[in-house]
Amino acid sequence: MSHQYSAPGDHIESTKPVTVSRYRGITRLNHWVTALSLILLAISGLSLFHPSLFFLSGLFGGGQVVRWLHPAIGIVLFLSFFLLFLQMWKLNLPRREDATWVAHIGDVVQGNEDKLPELGKYNAGQKFVFWAMTGLILLLILTGLMIWEKQVPLWEPYAPWAATIPARRIALLVHALSAVGIILVFILHVYAAIWTRGTLRAMTTGSVTGGWAFRHHRKWLRELAKNRKAPDNHNTPAE
Amino acid sequence: MTERAPQPTTAAANPPVQPLASNLLPSDVVRISATANVPAPERQLDKVAKLIDVSKCIGCKACQSACIEWNDTHPAIEENVGVYENPHDLTPEMFTLMRFSEYENPQGDLEWLIRKDGCMHCEDPGCLKACPAPGAIVQYSNGIVDFVSANCIGCGYCVSGCPFDVPRIHQTAHVSKKCTLCSDRVAVGQGPACAKACPTQAITFGTKESQIALANERIEDLKSRGYENAGLYDPQGVGGTHVMYVLHHADKPGLYAGLPDDPRISPVVESWKGATKTVGLAAIGLAAAGAVLHGLFSKGNQVTAEEEHEAEELVVKTAAVQPETREEL
Ligand code: HEM
Ligand code: SF4
Ligand code: SF4
């Protein structure tokens, strides 16, 4: 079994037609917990971000609730994303074909997949989303802890300089900027998942069609085909 | 209807005995946190100010006691750590604090500088600028900056916004607290409790104009007695303040327990509450609208039937080519 382009759980589920298992149930659950946290964080955070959006705090029971709920969800997001990170970081490392893919970004947008290199489980766009989320979540958790008024005494003895008012001002600015950044990345992520038809089911049912894998992630499909334990005329569960 | 109270001109006068209606009205508010369009007030109250003459202060802390009593706060009883400051810092229960600094002047003499710390009631308040909760901080046309606990969410942004490190978040009530300049006393024609209690009249209160005039008299006196750098602390970086100091060393405010030389709203706070918000909101709005519109009108990137077929072939051929690498089930 080789896992240069695929994750351990990935496998071909059936051959006629081909369906490929892309995410295990536990990974999907992990993904949706992360996604829900991010959405709740964006909404609650935006309610404090701009006066015109303060009404959004009503969704959570008011500003006093947002004050503590937002950072609490932030902790959930951080831990949940960390688990996703452990499962995904390896296949998101940059590879040579990513540069070619980026150079052909025009063809990507026009859907000319035949002009693009064959790819493993992730393309450069997906990798960008992954690393941008990683970096921004790190910034958000660090600055978030710095501006979490109530919990500052928890860590202040270990990093008194970070609890000073000048440091907290910078943290507020960086938190707000990173929040804008992560919301933009989030929009890109959702848009790409919907635009690339046949992608959403990878995170709902867990599988994609063979054609989808062939079109977008052919090296991944090739590796899974090689890894397949039984030839298709043996009794695989789907048959 | 009871008569409306007069605007106070001093803290020294005794209160009137007949009941009077508040003369600090919701319509006298000129700035409201997280609120863009505050209606122009119908009248302009006289600008008020509290003047703290550091050179007259004897450090007795009568003002601190008066503040505790009037505002009904309950500062914790703390340990004596060998300095006169008590409590150790401004707290949600202690809105004003005498800070004691020892200064050895160039003549080699020790000067004991005592400064009454607390909210400066900035004309351009950083706390109000930073606050995300509509109505949690208001500024009246007489200059008083007041926190409205009912609207406060306890986030602590005001702590970062203030150039003087004044607001403190109450750990159980979850609201921000600071000196109100006794807005509830001023509303009924009274000066602040601290000024009323001060035995040396180091603290005085009145119109800002009258307090500047008084300060000038005091400065002249101090200069005639050898304090050539005596001066008024009414920092213009925050548009002037409604709590001012007479300092013997106005050229070095930092001597007085770190009073800022040239306070102003931090540029970091300005850019956080300024460009970040407008540009950020615009970017998010445009991206969301663009994604939705484009999503509606684009066919998307579709997988073809041909590709489904090729996938099948790929899988089947791979199986045929490499039987020897396969493990048994
Ligand atoms: C990762 C952990 C996070 C922590 C610990 C955290 C913590 C905080 C805290 C303490 C505040 C100040 C208000 C309050 O006390 O609730 C805040 C504000 C905010 N947060 Fe977070 N946060 C996190 C993640 C996020 C994420 C992922 C987003 C965006 C999707 C976000 C967006 C915002 C925004 C927009 C604000 C308002 C900033 C402003 O007023 O300019 N936060 N956050
Ligand atoms: S804690 Fe300060 S900034 Fe936050 S809502 Fe209250 S007054 Fe406004
Ligand atoms: S001193 Fe601080 S708390 Fe007082 S008005 Fe100025 S900015 Fe606000």
Side-chain angles (χ1 to χ4, degrees):
Chain A
M1 298 273 267
S2 107
H3 284 298
Q4 205 181 353
Y5 299 108
S6 60
D10 303 350
H11 63 276
I12 290 170
E13 280 178 346
S14 63
T15 50
K16 266 184 184 164
V18 179
T19 59
V20 192
S21 170
R22 192 160 162 90
Y23 293 113
R24 296 176 295 175
I26 192 77
T27 309
R28 281 176 274 148
L29 180 68
N30 196 173
H31 171 269
W32 288 116
V33 169
T34 311
L36 183 69
S37 312
L38 188 66
I39 292 166
L40 293 176
L41 281 162
I43 298 171
S44 57
L46 284 175
S47 77
L48 303 183
F49 182 77
H50 199 273
S52 64
L53 299 175
F54 188 77
F55 73 95
L56 290 172
S57 64
L59 293 172
F60 303 88
Q64 278 279 353
V65 178
V66 166
R67 182 200 75 240
W68 62 266
L69 186 61
H70 173 90
I73 303 174
I75 302 293
V76 175
L77 173 83
F78 177 74
L79 296 177
S80 176
F81 185 82
F82 183 68
L83 293 179
L84 266 191
F85 179 87
L86 290 181
Q87 296 166 69
M88 298 183 167
W89 71 273
K90 243 187 205 143
L91 293 179
N92 277 288
L93 292 175
R95 300 185 71 95
R96 185 161 307 146
E97 56 263 32
D98 294 330
T100 324
W101 189 90
V102 172
H104 285 257
I105 193 74
D107 290 318
V108 174
V109 174
Q110 284 160 31
N112 299 332
E113 308 272 325
D114 45 326
K115 305 218 175 90
L116 300 173
E118 291 193 4
L119 301 171
K121 188 164 178 173
Y122 298 112
N123 64 37
Q126 292 164 303
K127 289 179 184 178
F128 166 76
V129 169
F130 177 82
W131 290 109
M133 290 279 183
T134 304
L136 289 168
I137 286 174
L138 275 177
L139 277 178
L140 283 161
I141 184 93
L142 288 175
T143 56
L145 289 172
M146 285 172 73
I147 62 178
W148 194 354
E149 176 68 32
K150 177 90 181 170
Q151 306 302 342
V152 166
L154 266 188
W155 55 265
E156 189 173 2
Y158 308 101
W161 53 270
T164 60
I165 286 173
R168 280 216 255 167
R169 286 179 184 146
I170 293 170
L172 278 163
L173 175 63
V174 172
H175 196 84
L177 289 171
S178 316
V180 171
I182 204 165
I183 291 170
L184 293 177
V185 172
F186 174 78
I187 292 172
L188 173 69
H189 175 61
V190 174
Y191 181 82
I194 294 175
W195 181 72
T196 315
R197 298 291 194 268
T199 306
L200 285 181
R201 54 177 286 186
M203 268 304 166
T204 54
T205 66
S207 70
V208 290
T209 68
W212 185 93
F214 184 86
R215 181 178 173 87
H216 303 300
H217 302 283
R218 203 170 301 166
K219 279 187 180 167
W220 176 64
L221 179 65
R222 283 189 203 287
E223 184 170 272
L224 294 180
K226 280 187 204 147
N227 285 353
R228 215 149 59 92
K229 287 185 179 166
D232 64 280
N233 48 4
H234 280 208
N235 43 346
T236 50
E239 280 168 326
Chain B
M1 183 60 204
T2 41
E3 197 191 329
R4 191 150 281 159
Q7 294 184 45
T9 51
T10 169
N14 281 325
V17 285
Q18 78 277 24
L20 292 171
S22 166
N23 197 10
L24 207 49
L25 308 174
S27 58
D28 291 321
V29 165
V30 289
R31 277 200 181 113
I32 307 177
S33 58
T35 305
N37 300 311
V38 181
E42 292 145 27
R43 58 173 187 173
Q44 168 66 50
L45 296 173
D46 293 336
K47 297 269 182 197
V48 295
K50 179 160 81 183
L51 182 68
I52 302 169
D53 185 343
V54 172
S55 69
K56 277 174 129 185
C57 175
I58 56 170
C60 71
K61 303 184 189 172
C63 51
Q64 273 188 231
S65 301
C67 180
I68 292 170
E69 185 175 8
W70 178 259
N71 292 298
D72 194 19
T73 58
H74 301 84
I77 295 170
E78 299 185 349
E79 299 279 306
N80 184 334
V81 294
V83 295
Y84 278 78
E85 264 152 54
N86 167 27
H88 68 290
D89 191 10
L90 292 171
T91 74
E93 301 276 350
M94 189 71 262
F95 304 162
T96 190
L97 177 69
M98 308 315 293
R99 294 194 186 270
F100 297 79
S101 311
E102 289 170 16
Y103 167 55
E104 204 181 301
N105 66 23
Q107 289 78 48
D109 294 330
L110 183 74
E111 290 184 30
W112 206 22
L113 307 176
I114 310 167
R115 174 168 71 88
K116 179 184 181 293
D117 195 8
C119 176
M120 301 294 287
H121 294 270
C122 309
E123 186 65 24
D124 185 13
C127 56
L128 191 147
K129 169 152 265 170
C131 178
I137 305 181
V138 296
Q139 184 181 43
Y140 292 98
S141 66
N142 62 6
I144 293 182
V145 178
D146 220 353
F147 285 10
V148 183
S149 291
N151 297 328
C152 174
I153 67 169
C155 63
Y157 286 11
C158 50
V159 177
S160 297
C162 173
F164 295 96
D165 185 15
V166 165
R168 295 290 184 269
I169 306 297
H170 201 289
Q171 286 292 298
T172 50
H174 303 295
V175 290
S176 190
K177 291 288 186 184
K178 70 161 188 70
C179 156
T180 65
L181 208 67
C182 283
S183 57
D184 49 352
R185 293 173 59 90
V186 170
V188 292
Q190 293 289 295
C194 55
K196 178 108 193 172
C198 178
T200 64
Q201 295 199 16
I203 313 172
T204 53
F205 177 84
T207 62
K208 181 155 178 175
E209 220 183 340
S210 72
Q211 297 306 297
I212 291 178
L214 176 60
N216 287 337
E217 277 174 39
R218 289 292 306 143
I219 291 160
E220 208 177 311
D221 179 48
L222 284 167
K223 285 191 170 157
S224 76
R225 293 196 284 133
Y227 290 105
E228 59 210 33
N229 293 317
L232 178 67
Y233 188 80
D234 176 24
Q236 295 306 306
V238 291
T241 52
H242 294 269
V243 171
M244 306 181 295
Y245 293 109
V246 170
L247 304 176
H248 356 47
H249 307 290
D251 55 328
K252 292 182 214 127
L255 293 178
Y256 301 84
L259 188 61
D261 286 343
D262 184 18
R264 62 192 206 93
I265 299 178
S266 156
V268 179
V269 172
E270 297 272 14
S271 52
W272 162 49
K273 297 304 281 196
T276 306
K277 305 278 149 146
T278 36
V279 176
L281 215 53
I284 292 172
L286 284 176
V292 169
L293 280 180
H294 200 256
L296 285 179
F297 291 113
S298 139
K299 300 198 302 302
N301 182 333
Q302 314 256 12
V303 176
T304 61
E306 172 68 9
E307 283 161 333
E308 295 293 354
H309 181 72
E310 288 194 65
E312 259 172 52
E313 247 174 41
L314 184 153
V315 171
V316 172
K317 271 196 193 137
T318 314
V321 171
Q322 302 200 322
E324 73 285 359
T325 62
R326 199 151 297 125
E327 304 149 40
E328 278 310 310
L329 266 178

